[in-house]
């Protein structure tokens, strides 16, 4: 995959002002929180020590016109409450805006990931694991999200703490300030070094959990195979190993965290002890007032914990960068429409517009010219195919598994990018036509059709937006599906997929067919599309297809000779090459695969004829049936 | 359907349920006790710290001679080490409980899932089961580990602080006590809402995950129908929902701490004023005032934790119910007590040739369906009063329209479902009286949409016989007609098939699953449209291979293609759950019935 081009900075685009607002609120909140210890200090050093109330006394005089000690103390209490409440309010503002900023940035990232994946070409994605891609879009995005919403703010807090706290502390007592921060670098670096060191262990835990989940998922999706092979013990053993490995690595991780927290606690408590005893010494020596000492102890609790957090946050920021890199790799997958955009840009620059306007509907002539295809670092799947399909012609593709039939369909639909050779639609190279246009002209029913987790009607309307009930029914009738759907309790509003009903293979294929029929394309591709449909239903469907549109180019991949027989011409693929091509009658007289398939079949037919001849019942006229099935 | 029910909020804590789960914790009694001890010890240490501060402050204030700092420092150091020790101790013990309990719950649930019948899985989507096995397990284990710790620590800590403050200054302590109930109530409400919001986030997140997954699995379909823009619009709806949910959750979380902080500052202010008067009156030392204020700051820590744990406990009720439900679910189909008794008895005198694990003959001879009826949904029978006798070694083909009951028949034979009426027997012995494991390990099943596991092709074939050698695997692949395409692959048998076999075409998957079944060398072979995506020639090769390896074994074939079924010893035409016709191919053709109608349509010769 490509080099990442996503950076933390680019991710926050458009949200930086909001972030600045959040950080500013945080600064106000921190400032507010730093005043109450000063209030306490004034109270202790002033009225409580029997001395001058200083600025606290002045505030009490101004606000409440009181000069009494009690009034001063109550003023102090009120100030503490007000300042803390104010700090609380700004902390809330900070939290809300940090959330808004980060969630907006993340929403944009999610949307563009989804959009990007929808536009990556299929030949690039086929070699990647769906699970891995999904994980990048979810867990990795979440890691980045955590960084943006929590960690960025945490770093900001630490910086602000030092900017705001240090001047105050130094103003109070430079020597005590030194004592207060002497262990802080150690607290920070210990956290930082520790969490950098344990990244590997953390990844191990992550991987162990992933392995456990993957094993579980596989077991549950394949549970019927597990039961059919009576492999419960084998599976339990396999899962048991993953489960125990996850438990052990996770426990090891938690124990390591235990070491961190206890050592870190020792450092933090030592630092506080230094302030306690260093301050006591200074107070005893008369170089520090009691109130200032107490203020220092309070300040310690305010900033030692964020410092401890900072080490961890910075160390784990590495994870966000790794996650971002993995996300960037997805964005690095080339979009299939990139070349189109370049073409358009080129056309604009040279002042040219497309000379020939595109028709609404093509005639459906297809030329394949020396078409070759191979997956990266793989052998040729297709090795120089040349043939032509005339408008309205029906061509069937036959071949053993792996001979390249489905790849040919993928190339025609521009799901895979053609490497060498040319495919033309109505004489225009596919590459020069917009993808959306090509796909709008071709209706395809795939081998394992995908249905959306929506209602049957919504799935059908994927073929044509806004199709009315009548149109839906006409398509489902032709696909021999209407009665099946009518039999469902919720009819066309039945939900399909995990949350709804599970359709059988044959039903799914027929929904996909009806969907393609609604689209009413100029070219229809059926990729093994009726394999799970019984023969009676199949012949009804084929008849309906012929009734429907006699002038539609059709490309059929099938294994039943009864289906193949309908084609005007048959192409036999062997190892990515055309072994034979021609009408049925011609091919059966040859010596190739088709003739062999035919021989198998005709042996059956001969037997059948013999059986029929021997059968005593009324005579049967094969001609009548056969002519009814003749293709146009 | 009592499976995927929605989670319920609030409600009381059902003790019987938790007692069952608590048994998981009791296996680690030592850790539970240690965890409790560390929690209490830590609370005590934390209460002592402010007292040291008080002593130091007071000693500075009053004494003229140098204060005994060394002694205090020593005490401080001891407390420091004790605290660090407690922290390490409770993290390790809580970690141990959490990981081990999670592991044990998961293990038991998994083991039970492997026993449960197909009908259980028909009602529960994989995603639903996955959440039970991952997040529910983690949540419960977490409650036991950290919940237990926080309860003990929190209660000890708050009680200890209260006592200490009461001794130092009764009035302030009582004020604090008065603030506690409303604060606890507010906290509990907040934590509940925060958790509920977090749950909404999680649920939306799993929908988001499903959307990405659908987007990738349905990539081709979306492209072919030029749906990219529509899909994105739908996704944006979802991602906006997610945005709303997370912002709401974050906002709730941002409101709560300031409230707690403000209440604490109110208490601090009161302590300063009230305590200040006493200091002035000479009834209290400055050191006491300082320690009081420190205690107040400490006092509110556990409130947040306890409220969180309580809310978690309330909300985990549903998780607990579902997990216990999963672990205790009884398979609808399992060995009866008598069968189990026989298995125990048979296991004593070792495996004997010709004897199955349940002590009965291991050879499968005549199979009979005796008046079998079946319905998935009440009053919608799939099969009714079905009779069939299959002789040993016979190949039976099942044909007929989709939904006629062919696959159901096979599921019943494999005992994936139990007949609602009638019975199936093997050599006169009802299936219910045989060991389920024995029966299923003697079946070879190949399905139309075969499921492969991720791993190599060789590993997938080996699933049929776990100790198979490479030669056996290659041999099976050859017999299944899979060797041609496998050997043409760059990595041959070591080619990774991807998740669920996604990198192979349907036809290739069918061939691999054929090889898998052949390697198992089952007594009964079941093929449910197993060659639907394979060309007739390859299919012919498979049939030859099968004849070679499975000669004389009973087999059931469901197929639509004439070439597949023609060679069967007997063909059954099944419609509406009944056999409408049966016989050899030639007989059925001659009969001019349903079979004739079905297959004359497949004739292609223009003779």
């Amino acid at each position: 995959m490509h080099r990442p081009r996503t950076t933390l900075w680019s991710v926050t685009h458009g949200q930086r002002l909001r972030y600045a607002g959040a950080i500013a609120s945080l600064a106000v909140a921190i400032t507010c929180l730093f005043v109450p210890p000063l209030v306490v200090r004034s109270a202790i050093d002033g009225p409580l020590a029997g001395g001058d109330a200083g600025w606290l006394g002045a505030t009490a005089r101004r606000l409440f016109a009181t000069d009494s000690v009690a009034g001063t103390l109550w003023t102090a209490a009120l100030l503490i409450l007000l300042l803390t409440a104010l700090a609380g309010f700004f902390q809330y503002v900070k939290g809300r805006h940090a959330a808004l900023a980060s969630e907006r940035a993340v929403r944009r990232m999610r949307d563009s990931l989804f959009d990007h994946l929808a536009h990556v070409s299929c030949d690039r994605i086929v070699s990647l694991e769906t699970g891995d891609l999904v994980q990048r879009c979810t867990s990795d995005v979440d890691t980045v999200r955590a960084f943006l919403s929590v960690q960025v703010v945490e770093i900001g807090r630490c910086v602000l703490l030092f900017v705001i706290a240090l001047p105050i502390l130094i103003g109070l007592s430079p020597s005590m300030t030194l004592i207060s921060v002497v262990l802080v670098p150690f607290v920070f670096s210990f956290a930082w070094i520790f969490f950098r060191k344990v990244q590997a262990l953390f990844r191990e835990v992550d991987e162990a959990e992933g392995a456990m989940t993957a094993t579980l998922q596989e077991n549950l999706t394949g549970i019927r195979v597990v039961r059919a092979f009576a492999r419960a013990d084998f599976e339990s053993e396999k899962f048991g190993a993953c489960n125990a490995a996850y438990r052990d690595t996770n426990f090891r991780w938690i124990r390591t965290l235990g070491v961190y927290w206890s050592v870190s606690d020792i450092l933090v408590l030592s630092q506080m002890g230094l302030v306690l005893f260093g301050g006591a010494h200074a107070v005893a020596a008369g170089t520090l007032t009691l109130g200032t000492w107490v203020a220092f102890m309070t300040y310690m609790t305010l900033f030692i914990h964020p410092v401890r957090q900072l080490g961890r946050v910075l160390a784990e920021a590495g994870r966000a960068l790794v996650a971002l890199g993995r996300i960037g790799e997805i964005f690095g997958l080339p979009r299939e429409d990139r070349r189109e955009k370049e073409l358009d840009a080129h056309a604009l620059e040279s002042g040219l517009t497309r000379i020939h306007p595109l028709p609404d509907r093509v005639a459906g002539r297809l030329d394949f010219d020396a078409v070759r295809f191979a997956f990266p670092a793989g052998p040729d799947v297709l090795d120089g195919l040349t043939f032509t399909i005339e408008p309205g012609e029906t061509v069937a593709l036959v071949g053993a598994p792996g001979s390249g039939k489905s790849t040919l369909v993928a190339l025609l639909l521009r799901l895979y990018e053609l490497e060498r050779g040319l495919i033309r639609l109505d004489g225009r190279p596919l590459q020069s036509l917009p993808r959306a246009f090509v796909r709008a002209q071709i209706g395809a029913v795939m081998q394992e059709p995908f249905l959306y987790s929506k209602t049957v009607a919504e799935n059908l309307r994927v073929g044509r937006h806004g199709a009315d009930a009548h149109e839906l029914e006409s398509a489902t009738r032709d696909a021999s599906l209407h009665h099946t759907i009518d039999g469902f309790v919720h009819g066309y509003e039945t939900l399909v997929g995990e949350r709804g009903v599970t359709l059988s293979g044959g039903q799914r294929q027929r929904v996909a067919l009806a969907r393609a029929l609604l689209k009413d394309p100029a070219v229809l591709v059926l990729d093994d599309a009726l394999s799970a449909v019984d023969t009676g239903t199949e012949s009804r469907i084929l008849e309906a297809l012929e009734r429907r549109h006699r002038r539609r180019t059709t490309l059929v991949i099938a294994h039943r000779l009864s289906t193949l027989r309908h084609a005007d011409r048959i192409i036999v693929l062997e190892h990515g090459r055309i072994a034979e091509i021609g009408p049925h009658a011609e091919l059966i007289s040859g010596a190739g695969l088709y003739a062999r398939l035919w021989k198998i079949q005709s042996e059956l037919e001969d037997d059948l004829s013999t059986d029929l001849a021997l059968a005593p019942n009324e005579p049967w006229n094969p001609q009548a049936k056969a002519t009814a099935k003749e293709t146009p | 359907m009592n499976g995927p029910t929605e989670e319920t909020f609030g409600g009381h804590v059902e003790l019987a349920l938790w007692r069952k789960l608590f048994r998981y914790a009791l296996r680690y009694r030592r850790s539970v006790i240690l965890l409790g001890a560390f929690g209490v010890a830590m609370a005590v240490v934390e209460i002592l710290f402010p007292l040291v501060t008080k002593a130091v402050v007071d000693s500075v204030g009053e004494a003229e001679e140098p204060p005994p700092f060394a002694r205090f420092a020593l005490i401080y150091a001891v407390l420091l080490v004790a605290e660090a020790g407690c922290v390490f101790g409770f993290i390790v013990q809580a970690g141990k409980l959490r990981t081990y309990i999670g592991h044990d719950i998961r293990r038991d649930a998994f083991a039970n899932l492997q026993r449960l019948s197909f009908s259980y899985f028909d009602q529960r989507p994989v995603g639903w089961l996955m959440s039970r096995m991952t997040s529910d397990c983690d949540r419960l284990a977490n409650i036991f580990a950290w919940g237990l710790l926080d309860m003990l620590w929190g209660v000890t800590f708050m009680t200890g602080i209260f006592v200490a403050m009461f001794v130092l200054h009764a009035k302030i302590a009582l004020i604090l006590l008065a603030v506690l109930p409303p604060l606890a109530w507010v906290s509990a409400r907040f934590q509940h809402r925060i958790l509920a919001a977090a749950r909404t986030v999680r649920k939306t997140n799993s929908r988001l995950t499903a959307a990405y997954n659908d987007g990738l699995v349905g990539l081709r379909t979306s492209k072919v129908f030029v749906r990219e823009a529509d899909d994105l619009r739908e996704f944006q709806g979802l991602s906006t929902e997610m945005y709303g949910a997370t912002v709401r959750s974050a906002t709730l979380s941002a409101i709560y701490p300031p409230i707690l902080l403000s209440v604490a500052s109110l208490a601090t202010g009161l302590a300063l004023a009230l305590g200040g008067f006493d200091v002035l009156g000479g009834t209290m030392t400055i050191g006491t005032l300082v320690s009081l204020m420190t205690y107040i700051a400490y006092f509110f820590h556990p409130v947040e934790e306890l409220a969180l744990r309580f809310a978690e406990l309330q909300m985990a009720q549903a998780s607990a119910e579902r997990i216990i439900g999963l672990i205790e679910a009884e398979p609808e189909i399992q060995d009866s007590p008598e069968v189990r008794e026989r298995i125990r008895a048979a296991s004593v005198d070792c495996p004997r040739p010709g004897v199955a694990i349940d002590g009965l003959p291991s050879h499968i001879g005549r199979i009979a369906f005796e008046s079998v009826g079946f319905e998935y949904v009440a009053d919608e029978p799939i099969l009714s009063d079905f009779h069939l006798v299959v002789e040993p070694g016979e190949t039976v083909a099942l044909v007929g329209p989709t939904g006629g009951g062919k696959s159901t028949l096979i599921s019943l034979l494999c005992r994936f479902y139990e007949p609602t009426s009638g019975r199936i027997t093997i050599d006169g012995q009802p299936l219910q009286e045989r060991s389920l494991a024995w029966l299923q390990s003697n079946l070879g099943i190949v399905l139309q949409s075969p499921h492969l596991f991720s791993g190599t092709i060789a590993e997938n074939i080996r699933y049929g016989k776990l100790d198979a050698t490479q030669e056996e695997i290659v041999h099976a692949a050859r017999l299944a007609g899979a060797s041609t395409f496998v050997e043409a692959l760059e990595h041959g048998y070591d080619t990774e098939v991807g998740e669920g076999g996604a990198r192979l075409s349907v036809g290739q998957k069918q061939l691999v699953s054929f090889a898998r079944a052949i390697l198992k060398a089952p007594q009964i072979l079941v093929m449910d449209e197993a060659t639907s995506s394979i060309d007739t020639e390859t299919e012919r090769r498979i049939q030859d291979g099968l004849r070679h390896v499975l000669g004389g074994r009973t087999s059931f074939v469901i197929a639509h293609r004439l070439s597949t079924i023609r060679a069967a010893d007997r063909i059954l035409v099944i419609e509406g759950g009944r056999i409408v016709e049966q016989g050899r191919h030639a007989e059925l053709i001659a009969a001019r019935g349903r079979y004739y109608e079905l297959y004359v349509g497949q004739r292609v010769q223009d003779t």
Side-chain angles (χ1 to χ4, degrees), chain A residues 40 47-48 69-70 74 77 81 84 88 92 96 99-100 103-104 107 110-111 114-115 117-118 120 129-131 134 138 213 216 218-219 222 224 226-229 231 234-235 239 243 246-247 251 254-255 258 261-262 265-266 269 273 277 280 283 290 293 336 377 400-402 415-416 439 448 450 452-454 465 498 515 519 528 531-532 534-535 559-560 562 565 593 596-598 600 602 604-605 607-609 611-612 617-618 620 622, chain B residues 56-57 60 69 73 76 84 87-88 91-92 95-96 99 103 106-107 110 114-116 118 122 125-126 130 133 208-209 212-214 218-225 227 230 232 234-236 239-240 242-243 246 250-251 255 258 265 269 276-277 280 286 293 401-402 440 445 448 451 453-454 463-464 466 490 499 503 506 508-509 516 520 532-537 540 560-561 563 566 585-586 589-590 592 596 600 602-607:
Chain A
V40 176
L48 293 185
V69 173
W74 281 118
L81 178 62
T84 314
Y92 161 75
R96 167 125 185 120
L100 284 173
E103 295 305 330
R104 281 186 187 171
R107 177 175 60 178
R110 288 193 176 115
D111 288 349
F114 188 90
D115 185 54
L117 283 174
V120 172
E129 295 287 355
T130 307
V134 171
T138 53
T213 322
L216 192 59
E218 277 232 317
N219 173 273
R224 284 167 179 80
V226 174
R227 301 304 306 272
F229 281 82
R231 288 277 177 260
F234 173 71
E235 291 289 320
F239 177 74
N243 197 12
Y246 172 50
R247 175 194 65 193
F251 183 42
I254 294 176
R255 214 170 29 205
W261 284 110
S262 52
D265 263 1
I266 289 177
L269 289 171
F277 291 103
V283 172
L290 191 58
W293 180 35
E336 58 179 13
L415 294 173
Y416 295 172
R439 289 172 187 162
E448 288 173 293
F450 170 82
Y452 297 89
S453 306
K454 299 176 176 184
H465 278 288
E498 269 226 330
R515 179 168 74 182
K519 189 174 170 183
D528 206 8
S531 60
D534 63 77
T535 36
H559 296 296
R560 292 183 201 157
S562 51
R565 179 64 183 79
L593 174 72
R596 292 201 301 278
L597 294 179
W598 179 248
I600 296 172
S602 45
L604 298 171
E605 302 278 321
D607 289 352
L608 194 59
S609 300
D611 298 338
L612 287 170
N617 290 10
E618 71 215 63
W620 172 66
Chain B
V56 174
V57 174
V60 171
F69 285 151
Y76 190 90
V87 165
F88 181 73
I91 288 181
V92 169
K96 167 142 189 172
T99 51
H103 168 270
R106 236 189 313 266
R107 182 195 55 202
F110 186 88
Q114 306 307 302
R115 304 194 308 140
L116 289 168
F118 275 30
D122 290 344
V126 171
M130 284 297 291
M133 295 290 286
L208 213 59
T209 309
Y212 276 117
N213 197 58
D214 272 8
L219 187 63
R220 284 165 189 245
T221 304
S222 291
K223 281 178 190 288
V224 166
F225 286 96
R227 291 257 317 160
D230 298 310
L232 179 62
E234 279 171 25
F235 180 83
Q236 278 169 335
S239 70
T240 301
M242 180 72 177
Y243 163 79
T246 34
T251 307
I255 293 177
S265 77
F277 299 146
L280 287 175
I286 291 261
M293 288 197 289
T402 318
Q440 289 177 347
I445 302 168
Q448 182 182 33
H451 180 89
F453 296 100
S454 59
Y463 206 74
L466 298 176
E490 199 189 354
E499 297 161 44
R503 290 191 200 161
V506 179
Q508 289 168 334
K509 278 192 278 188
R516 180 169 72 182
K520 192 179 173 186
S532 60
S533 293
I534 296 169
D535 62 291
T536 315
E537 194 182 39
R540 172 59 62 98
H560 295 304
R561 241 185 287 168
S563 55
R566 198 196 149 274
H585 171 76
I589 288 294
R592 303 283 152 100
Y596 169 84
V600 161
Q602 270 197 55
R603 276 177 62 91
V604 290
Q605 242 174 336
D606 294 343
T607 46

